[in-house]
């Protein structure tokens, strides 16, 4: 990956003094994730360009455990875009190699440090989920002219369309320190790789480098949240300190592991919308005795408990730990007896026929099927539709087409670590209609969450009725 910085103010080679790197030499540096080289493709008095080339070692990354966590399996750990795109590694390199310039120091040209120069920066390849529009929304409010070139997924197959990669050039009359600072913060904001280390000191770094411009940036919230990889607690802390808004006190909220996993979907509060919609479907079905299969930590059970129509609610999950959390969250041991009688939490697997599941009016299976191995879905189908056989079943699963809209989700990855598959609308409908035909159910499909014209809604729902 390549970053070039160009100065066109005569004598342009002052850039070398400002960067503390001699235009006549090639210099190489060892970094924890690979090598960096600095050289000057051109160095005349009219125009001087410095290049920072990073040679990231993906195998070294895996060995040093700094690489992607390998959700796509082993191959994904070794074969990924990290060596080729600008990412937080570029920021680390800027901070290490151009540290004086980033801090606004120059031994030989101290008088130039505060002078805006006609500078431009070109980032060879930038992965950008928010697209060109987002690149513009980041740099234009800071006064940059932006040129973005979108690269096709594969030049040989133009019909596949464009990928997530851009070449971006920004230019402005700006101090070198200003330019480097903006790149340092905004490159990781544009990249969505997950390998990035997020910790307390990242908040400090962000606030330090954001001084003087981040607070008044119209995309402040998106920048902070994406820089901190969607970690809500850290994001709230950073925003609170930026705006000195007490109501954003970070300690007001503790982030659980579940919340971290949901961070990808969090911005639209999809989880809540889904549960509300499923509860509404169950209600209109007229069901009194309902099953929540794969109930997890019991959020739907809690929702259903609020409505007296549901006289008996059985939550089942294969995970004992989840059931313990569910019992705790429902305050099962202190509920008034009348309420408590309505709920039962049982451990069981949807892979096996289970007598306890028979005789119910309706069943909810919310975000569960994608956790089952695809070849074993046939067993699940029989368990639910042949043996348990509720009048109504409400199933939800992610709509894979929508994944391109999640800014923090790298292309080609699933939304959760444990997902075995994610289906397009066509795949889900084909499967569900097949099930309906085999077991005598009619299926109605509904979107859940905000619907996009092209890719549909984030979640898809099938309502099966006998
Ligand atoms: N329905 C809940 C949880 C979804 S997560 C919600 O929407 O919040 C998926 C759940 O399915 C997990 O709790 C997991 O333990 C459960 N699960 C996975 N495989 C299962 C199986 N074979 N039988 C029963 N539950 C299973």
């Amino acid at each position: 990956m390549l970053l070039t910085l160009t100065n066109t103010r005569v004598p342009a080679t002052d850039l070398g003094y400002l960067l503390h790197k001699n235009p006549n030499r090639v210099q190489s540096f060892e970094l924890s994730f690979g090598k960096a080289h600095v050289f000057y493709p051109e160095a005349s008095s009219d125009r001087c360009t410095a290049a920072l080339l990073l040679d990231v070692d993906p195998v070294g990354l895996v060995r040093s455990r700094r690489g992607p966590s390998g959700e796509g399996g082993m191959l994904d750990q070794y074969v990924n875009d990290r060596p080729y795109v600008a990412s937080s590694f570029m920021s680390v390199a800027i901070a290490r190699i151009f540290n004086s310039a980033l801090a606004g120091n120059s031994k030989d040209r101290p008088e130039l440090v505060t002078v805006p120069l006609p500078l431009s920066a070109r980032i060879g390849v930038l992965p950008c989920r928010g697209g060109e529009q987002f690149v513009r929304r980041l740099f234009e409010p800071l006064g940059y002219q932006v040129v973005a070139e979108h690269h096709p997924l594969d030049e040989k197959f133009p019909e596949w369309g464009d990928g997530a990669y851009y070449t971006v050039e920004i230019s402005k009359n700006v101090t070198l320190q200003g330019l480097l600072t903006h790149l340092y913060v905004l490159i990781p904001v544009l990249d969505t790789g997950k390998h990035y280390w997020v910790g307390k000191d990242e908040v400090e770094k962000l606030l330090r480098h954001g001084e003087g411009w981040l607070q008044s940036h119209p995309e402040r919230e998106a920048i902070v949240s994406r820089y901190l990889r969607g970690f809500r607690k850290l994001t709230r802390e950073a925003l609170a300190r930026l705006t000195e808004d007490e109501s954003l006190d970070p300690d007001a909220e503790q982030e659980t592991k579940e919340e971290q996993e949901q961070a990808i979907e969090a911005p639209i509060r999809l989880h809540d919308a889904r549960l509300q919609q499923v509860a509404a479907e169950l209600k209109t079905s007229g069901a009194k005795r309902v099953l929540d299969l794969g109930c997890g930590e019991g959020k739907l059970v809690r929702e259903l408990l609020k409505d007296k129509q549901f006289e008996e609610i059985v939550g089942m999950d294969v995970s004992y730990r989840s059931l313990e959390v569910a019992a705790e969250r429902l305050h099962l041991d202190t509920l008034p007896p009348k309420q408590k009688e309505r709920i039962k939490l049982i451990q069981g697997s949807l892979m096996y026929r289970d007598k306890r599941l028979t005789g119910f009016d309706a069943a909810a299976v919310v975000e569960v099927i994608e956790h089952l191995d695809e070849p074993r879905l046939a067993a699940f189908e029989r368990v639910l539709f042949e043996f348990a056989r509720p009048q109504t079943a409400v199933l939800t699963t992610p709509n894979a087409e929508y994944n391109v809209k999640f800014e923090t989700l790298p292309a080609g990855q699933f939304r959760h670590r444990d997902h075995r598959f994610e289906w397009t609308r066509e795949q889900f409908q084909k499967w569900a209609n097949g099930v309906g035909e085999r077991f005598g159910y009619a299926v109605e499909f509904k979107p859940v969450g905000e619907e996009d014209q092209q890719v549909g809604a984030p979640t898809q729902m099938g309502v099966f009725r006998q």
Side-chain angles (χ1 to χ4, degrees), residues 61-224:
L61 283 180
V62 176
R63 300 225 166 108
S64 66
R65 296 176 154 272
R66 280 162 193 271
S69 56
E71 279 155 42
M74 282 301 279
L75 189 59
D76 186 46
Q77 295 186 14
Y78 292 94
V79 185
N80 54 58
D81 67 2
R82 296 296 93 189
Y84 313 108
V85 303
S87 68
S88 51
F89 291 138
M90 185 60 92
S91 299
V92 174
I94 289 173
R96 271 284 306 282
I97 294 163
F98 299 142
N99 60 336
S100 311
L102 185 63
N105 299 320
S106 169
K107 215 164 54 200
D108 299 306
R109 293 287 185 277
E111 72 283 1
L112 275 188
V113 164
T114 52
V115 178
L117 304 170
L119 296 178
S120 63
R122 185 179 161 90
I123 309 155
V125 184
L126 194 59
C128 183
R129 287 240 137 198
E132 177 175 341
Q133 270 189 346
F134 190 59
V135 178
R136 291 189 181 281
R137 295 211 311 267
L138 290 183
F139 287 103
E140 285 177 350
L142 297 168
Y144 288 95
Q145 285 216 331
V146 176
V147 180
E149 184 193 344
H150 201 169
H151 298 293
L153 209 52
D154 190 319
E155 279 162 12
K156 291 204 186 110
F157 301 95
E159 66 275 18
W160 291 356
D162 286 331
Y165 300 109
Y166 290 78
T167 294
V168 172
E169 188 167 335
I170 58 169
S171 32
K172 180 193 174 187
N173 268 317
V174 60
T175 62
L176 181 62
Q177 182 192 15
L179 175 65
L180 290 176
T181 302
H182 295 145
L183 291 171
Y184 176 92
V185 172
L186 298 177
I187 287 175
V189 165
L190 283 162
D191 173 44
T192 52
K194 270 196 189 162
H195 68 279
Y196 192 71
W197 248 218
V198 181
K200 269 256 176 216
D201 57 339
E202 289 306 327
V203 174
E204 303 305 324
K205 281 185 205 160
L206 175 63
L207 294 178
R208 185 153 41 88
H209 291 292
E211 216 178 294
W213 61 275
L214 184 53
Q215 189 182 15
S216 57
H217 197 293
E219 292 295 333
R220 178 179 72 199
E221 268 147 47
I223 292 170
V224 171

Side-chain angles (χ1 to χ4, degrees), residues 271 294-296 317-319 322 348-351 366-368 371-372:
H271 200 66
C295 63
D317 205 284
V318 76
S319 153
S322 292
S349 167
L350 288 167
M351 291 292 113
V366 181
E367 306 295 286
V368 174
H371 292 266
L372 310 177

Side-chain angles (χ1 to χ4, degrees), residues 282 288-292 295 298 300-316 330 332 339-346 360 362:
L282 293 174
K288 293 187 174 141
R289 306 186 59 221
V290 294
L291 287 167
D292 182 10
C295 63
L300 180 63
V301 173
R302 196 165 49 183
E303 193 62 36
L304 298 177
L305 191 62
K306 291 183 199 157
D307 191 324
K308 290 210 177 74
Q309 175 181 321
F310 304 112
E311 293 166 7
E312 186 178 347
I313 307 158
V314 173
M316 184 177 98
L330 287 160
L332 263 198
Q339 294 287 67
K340 194 178 163 180
E341 272 166 22
R342 292 168 59 205
I343 310 177
K344 217 186 312 163
L345 297 178
I346 60 175
F360 285 82

Side-chain angles (χ1 to χ4, degrees), residues 258 262 271 274-275 278 292-300 316-320 322-323 346-352 364-373 376 380 396 416 418-420:
E258 188 187 358
Q262 282 165 13
H271 200 66
R274 198 153 51 208
L275 294 179
V278 171
D292 182 10
L293 302 174
C295 63
E297 298 177 357
K299 285 195 182 141
L300 180 63
M316 184 177 98
D317 205 284
V318 76
S319 153
Y320 191 75
S322 292
L323 293 173
I346 60 175
Q347 190 183 16
S349 167
L350 288 167
M351 291 292 113
Y352 304 102
V365 192
V366 181
E367 306 295 286
V368 174
I369 57 170
E370 65 276 7
H371 292 266
L372 310 177
D373 288 323
R376 302 183 71 191
F380 160 75
T396 75
H416 293 248
D418 188 46
H419 284 183
R420 310 299 159 87

Side-chain angles (χ1 to χ4, degrees), residues 254-445:
Q254 274 289 338
E255 193 156 30
T256 67
K257 186 165 160 288
E258 188 187 358
E259 276 180 326
Q260 286 176 15
E261 286 199 348
Q262 282 165 13
I264 284 170
E265 292 181 340
I268 44 178
R269 302 235 161 251
L270 182 56
H271 200 66
D272 294 338
R274 198 153 51 208
L275 294 179
Q276 302 276 339
Q277 210 167 318
V278 171
E281 277 306 325
L282 293 174
K283 191 170 169 67
T284 37
S285 79
K288 293 187 174 141
R289 306 186 59 221
V290 294
L291 287 167
D292 182 10
L293 302 174
C295 63
E297 298 177 357
K299 285 195 182 141
L300 180 63
V301 173
R302 196 165 49 183
E303 193 62 36
L304 298 177
L305 191 62
K306 291 183 199 157
D307 191 324
K308 290 210 177 74
Q309 175 181 321
F310 304 112
E311 293 166 7
E312 186 178 347
I313 307 158
V314 173
M316 184 177 98
D317 205 284
V318 76
S319 153
Y320 191 75
R321 178 66 200 139
S322 292
L323 293 173
E324 280 181 337
V325 175
E328 228 168 82
R329 295 216 172 146
L330 287 160
H331 305 290
L332 263 198
D333 49 355
T334 53
L335 274 187
K338 273 224 151 141
Q339 294 287 67
K340 194 178 163 180
E341 272 166 22
R342 292 168 59 205
I343 310 177
K344 217 186 312 163
L345 297 178
I346 60 175
Q347 190 183 16
S349 167
L350 288 167
M351 291 292 113
Y352 304 102
R353 180 178 177 172
D354 192 330
K355 279 205 189 98
R356 296 172 299 176
L357 306 183
T358 54
F360 285 82
D361 304 319
V365 192
V366 181
E367 306 295 286
V368 174
I369 57 170
E370 65 276 7
H371 292 266
L372 310 177
D373 288 323
E374 222 171 332
R376 302 183 71 191
L377 273 182
F380 160 75
E381 292 164 22
R382 296 192 65 195
V383 168
L384 179 59
F385 296 103
E386 186 177 328
F387 301 120
R389 228 175 150 66
Q391 282 293 324
T392 307
V394 182
L395 265 74
T396 75
T397 193
N399 166 17
E401 293 163 77
Y402 194 89
N403 287 356
V404 295
K405 303 262 295 176
F406 292 121
E407 287 169 351
T408 55
L409 182 67
Q413 284 196 16
F414 294 149
R415 294 182 201 178
H416 293 248
R417 238 169 246 272
D418 188 46
H419 284 183
R420 310 299 159 87
F421 60 86
E422 286 178 0
W423 279 339
T424 62
R425 284 168 292 177
E426 196 189 330
Q427 287 172 309
F428 177 56
Q429 292 178 15
K430 189 166 166 236
W431 173 79
N433 284 325
V435 167
E437 269 166 40
R438 284 197 297 285
F439 299 100
Y441 283 79
V443 198
E444 188 184 354
F445 299 97

